[in-house]
Amino acid sequence: MIDWLKKFFGKLKDLWLGWSLMKKLVFIGIIVVIVGAFVLLGFLSSQPPQAVIFNTTVTDELLTAQISAALDAENIAYTKGADGRFYVKDDFTARQARTLLVREDLLPGQLDPWNFFTNMDRWTLTDFDRDVNLQRALTNNLEQHISALSDVDTAKVTLVMPETQLFAQDQNPVTASVIIYPRPGSDITENKGKVEGIVKLIQFAVEGLVAENITIVDHKGTVLNDFSGMEDVDRLNLTNRMLRQKRALEAQYTAAVLASLGNVFTPSRVNIVNLDIDLEFIKKSIETQEFYPITMKEDNPNTPYSELEVVPSIIRSRENSSESFEGTGFNPEGPPGQEGQTPPAYQDLTNLVGQYESDRNIENNEINQRSISEEKSPYEIKRISLGIVLDGVWSLKYDENNKPVVGPEGRRERTYTPVDETVLREAQAVVESAVGFSKARGDVVTVKNISFDRIEQFRIEDTEWMRKQQNQKIILWTAVGLASIIFIFVLVRGISKQLERRRREQEELLARQHQAMREQALREAEEEGMEIGLSVEERARMDLQDNAKNLAREYPDDVAHLIQTWLAMEN
């Protein structure tokens, strides 16, 4: 164990010695910060807990000074925290300070008025306390729910819950007043649906509260839930929604038609003159009761014939009865000595013998029955009117050299090929399939071939073509000019170099001739024993020639390489 500790401390020592001064300072600073944090934590945890006087912050400097002066006058020790609240040593001192400040009317403006009912120590609670707590809980809960909405920044709720009376006619209604502060960019002040949602939220949260006793205003004092006279607005909104639905459906059909014909005729040759969809906005609920046969044997799909057996109905119960009678009937009479109640018309039938027979057969059959409940969409297409114009094909004219034919005005000539009637009928069939054509509904789909006005388009195309032709000519002649200039420059440079070379050769030839003549004269003078005086330049030239000859004898390769370099530079 001791050896392990020695090795551990040895590694720490080696690590410490290997660190730079900056690393050592950083490590010491971290240790100091950790120790200071533990010391501060222990100091704060050892302090006794303090009680707050008011559970709200005091931001007004004048009010802060007045509260401090009042507490100092009563010798109440206090501290003001960084959160703006006043703290004392215990709850008893807090109640004394609270009583003092209430008496001196030194209460923070944003103090919750219900704190005096809930922050008081009591042994029991009265019905009034419970009602106050209930009202406060409902108010806070509603404020939290309304403020949680994405369109509301904050909300203030005031509930009036009167006492319960013995007679209903004496009972005052429950009312609610709400002030909402909308978020920036919210449309809650103009959106009726959102306001109605808040009204229902408040109505179902408070027992006995009805929508008529709820008032919602914004921060400007505008009543938001006053929906009187909104019938015209609702009707206008409904009309706008219908028109938007109609435009959306027409846009959908337009895209379907263009997608059907665009790949065949190209989009530039297809034009929808008019697309009108007559919609009937109605909501229908249909209840249908259907009776159908009973299947006794299912059909086998693997056989080429049908084994299906059906019967209209099956017998559920059957009742047969037979009755017969023969003899005189019983004629009831009154008390003895009194005439009976038999009508005169039946008195003559008394004591007549009769015969009666009755046969009755009853069968109860069962049939298949199903009830169908259908609810159709809020709108249905009543009629579709569609008119489409197709353009033919414009093609350029070319001459025998396969070049476009240009007219006197500088425009290319074109020929027009109309769309064949067979193609028009096929296009009409495609369009009818795309829009769901129904003859019974009275739909009308028309597809015609009409030549489009493409004068401006052709003018732009011809102008662009002429500009490209001019650019090509400019580029061609510019290239030819540049090539000519380069050729003339090379030719002149070659001729000048040739002339310069000939001039140098002529000068070198003359110089060699003069040198030969001079050397000849010197040799002749030496042979004759005459002394000839040489100038300094001539003697230096002769010395230079002698040195060059000696250098050429000693280093022939270097001299040859030097001469080649000179010749290359001259050429």
Side-chain angles (χ1 to χ4, degrees):
M1 186 66 180
I2 298 176
D3 295 338
W4 179 81
L5 289 175
K6 289 182 179 180
K7 291 181 180 180
F8 178 72
F9 285 111
K11 290 182 180 180
L12 288 179
K13 183 177 179 181
D14 296 338
L15 183 63
W16 177 263
L17 294 176
W19 281 358
S20 62
L21 179 60
M22 181 58 67
K23 290 183 177 180
K24 292 179 180 179
L25 294 177
V26 171
F27 180 75
I28 293 173
I30 293 173
I31 296 298
V32 171
V33 170
I34 293 174
V35 173
F38 278 106
V39 172
L40 181 61
L41 181 62
F43 174 75
L44 294 177
S45 61
S46 62
Q47 290 183 349
Q50 293 182 332
V52 64
I53 299 177
F54 292 122
N55 192 19
T56 183
T57 59
V58 181
T59 58
D60 190 1
E61 296 181 357
L62 178 60
L63 182 60
T64 301
Q66 292 175 352
I67 292 175
S68 300
L71 294 177
D72 291 338
E74 295 293 333
N75 295 325
I76 298 177
Y78 67 92
T79 58
K80 185 179 180 183
D83 55 355
R85 300 179 182 179
F86 285 88
Y87 295 90
V88 293
K89 61 181 181 179
D90 52 22
D91 293 336
F92 178 75
T93 308
R95 288 194 294 270
Q96 287 182 339
R98 194 178 299 119
T99 304
L100 170 65
L101 296 178
V102 170
R103 185 185 64 195
E104 299 293 336
D105 195 17
L106 298 176
L107 299 178
Q110 64 274 23
L111 182 64
D112 189 358
W114 303 104
N115 282 334
F116 296 105
F117 297 98
T118 57
N119 294 336
M120 297 175 63
D121 295 333
R122 298 182 178 88
W123 291 99
T124 60
L125 290 177
T126 63
D127 293 340
F128 176 76
D129 296 331
R130 293 187 180 92
D131 294 340
V132 169
N133 293 336
L134 175 61
Q135 184 173 355
R136 185 185 182 193
L138 289 174
T139 302
N140 293 336
N141 194 19
L142 284 175
E143 289 180 353
Q144 292 175 5
H145 279 74
I146 298 174
S147 299
L149 300 177
S150 60
D151 293 293
V152 179
D153 192 4
T154 57
K156 298 295 182 181
V157 178
T158 301
L159 293 177
V160 178
M161 304 176 68
E163 296 181 358
T164 304
Q165 301 296 328
L166 179 61
F167 298 101
Q169 59 270 23
D170 297 334
Q171 180 67 45
N172 294 324
V174 180
T175 60
S177 301
V178 182
I179 302 176
I180 61 173
Y181 297 85
R183 291 184 183 274
S186 173
D187 63 340
I188 191 172
T189 58
E190 301 173 356
N191 195 320
K192 177 182 176 182
K194 294 181 179 180
V195 176
E196 288 181 344
I198 297 178
V199 170
K200 292 185 179 298
L201 177 66
I202 301 171
Q203 178 182 355
F204 295 131
V206 181
E207 182 182 1
L209 183 61
V210 295
E212 290 77 10
N213 296 329
I214 300 175
T215 302
I216 301 177
V217 299
D218 60 1
H219 61 290
K220 298 180 181 178
T222 304
V223 179
L224 303 181
N225 63 331
D226 185 8
F227 302 134
S228 58
M230 297 291 291
E231 293 80 7
D232 295 337
V233 177
D234 294 340
R235 192 180 302 108
L236 181 60
N237 293 334
L238 180 60
T239 304
N240 292 333
R241 288 197 297 268
M242 291 179 179
L243 292 177
R244 285 197 298 267
Q245 180 64 39
K246 183 176 183 294
R247 287 194 293 266
L249 196 60
E250 290 176 351
Q252 178 182 352
Y253 276 64
T254 300
V257 171
L258 292 179
S260 301
L261 301 179
N263 296 329
V264 180
F265 299 98
T266 69
S268 62
R269 294 176 54 198
V270 181
N271 184 20
I272 298 179
V273 179
N274 181 37
L275 174 58
D276 183 28
I277 301 178
D278 188 7
L279 297 180
E280 183 179 4
F281 291 88
I282 185 172
K283 186 176 181 180
K284 295 181 179 179
S285 296
I286 302 175
E287 299 288 340
T288 305
Q289 192 172 15
E290 181 180 351
F291 300 93
Y292 58 97
I294 300 174
T295 302
M296 304 300 294
K297 184 178 180 181
E298 296 288 345
D299 182 25
N300 187 3
N302 298 324
T303 59
Y305 53 88
S306 175
E307 297 92 350
L308 181 65
E309 295 182 3
V310 296
V311 294
S313 62
I314 58 176
I315 298 175
R316 182 173 183 177
S317 62
R318 180 179 294 164
E319 180 184 354
N320 298 324
S321 62
S322 178
E323 183 181 353
S324 63
F325 172 78
E326 184 177 357
T328 60
F330 175 74
N331 188 12
E333 297 180 357
Q338 299 291 331
E339 294 184 0
Q341 300 294 328
T342 304
Y346 291 94
Q347 289 180 359
D348 296 336
L349 301 178
T350 305
N351 299 324
L352 294 178
V353 178
Q355 186 178 1
Y356 167 77
E357 291 183 0
S358 174
D359 294 330
R360 184 173 60 178
N361 298 323
I362 299 175
E363 287 186 358
N364 294 322
N365 294 330
E366 287 288 346
I367 59 176
N368 278 347
Q369 176 182 351
R370 57 188 169 196
S371 298
I372 302 174
S373 178
E374 296 178 322
E375 184 172 341
K376 292 189 177 181
S377 61
Y379 71 89
E380 63 178 2
I381 299 176
K382 198 173 181 180
R383 187 172 181 270
I384 296 178
S385 300
L386 177 60
I388 299 177
V389 176
L390 298 178
D391 191 14
V393 179
W394 291 90
S395 57
L396 295 173
K397 291 184 180 180
Y398 293 91
D399 55 11
E400 60 274 4
N401 297 326
N402 199 21
K403 293 184 178 180
V405 178
V406 181
E409 297 180 358
R411 306 298 182 189
R412 294 177 297 178
E413 297 183 359
R414 295 172 173 83
T415 58
Y416 179 74
T417 304
V419 182
D420 189 75
E421 290 295 332
T422 304
V423 178
L424 289 177
R425 288 193 294 270
E426 294 176 353
Q428 182 173 353
V430 171
V431 173
E432 290 178 353
S433 300
V435 301
F437 177 82
S438 176
K439 189 175 182 180
R441 198 169 53 194
D443 295 348
V444 177
V445 176
T446 305
V447 180
K448 296 293 184 179
N449 173 222
I450 299 177
S451 176
F452 291 1
D453 184 7
R454 299 184 181 272
I455 296 177
E456 185 65 20
Q457 176 185 349
F458 292 160
R459 186 187 65 78
I460 296 175
E461 292 178 356
D462 293 341
T463 303
E464 183 67 18
W465 177 77
M466 294 177 63
R467 188 181 63 82
K468 289 183 179 179
Q469 295 295 324
Q470 292 176 356
N471 292 339
Q472 291 178 0
K473 290 181 180 179
I474 291 172
I475 293 173
L476 177 62
W477 288 110
T478 302
V480 171
L482 291 175
S484 302
I485 293 173
I486 293 173
F487 176 75
I488 295 172
F489 177 75
V490 173
L491 181 63
V492 171
R493 184 174 177 79
I495 294 174
S496 62
K497 285 186 176 181
Q498 188 67 19
L499 295 176
E500 182 67 19
R501 186 177 61 80
R502 290 182 180 180
R503 185 182 62 78
R504 286 200 305 269
E505 290 177 353
Q506 187 69 22
E507 290 178 355
E508 291 175 357
L509 180 60
L510 293 176
R512 286 196 296 271
Q513 290 177 358
H514 288 302
Q515 183 65 23
M517 292 174 62
R518 185 178 295 277
E519 291 177 355
Q520 183 66 27
L522 291 175
R523 283 195 296 272
E524 289 177 358
E526 290 178 356
E527 291 176 357
E528 293 177 0
M530 297 176 61
E531 291 186 3
I532 300 175
L534 298 176
S535 62
V536 177
E537 295 178 356
E538 291 177 349
R539 192 172 296 279
R541 187 182 296 110
M542 292 181 64
D543 293 339
L544 184 60
Q545 291 177 357
D546 293 337
N547 293 332
K549 291 177 181 180
N550 295 331
L551 185 62
R553 294 190 190 97
E554 294 178 359
Y555 307 100
D557 296 336
D558 296 339
V559 173
H561 182 68
L562 181 61
I563 292 173
Q564 290 177 358
T565 302
W566 284 348
L567 293 176
M569 292 176 63
E570 290 179 357
N571 293 331

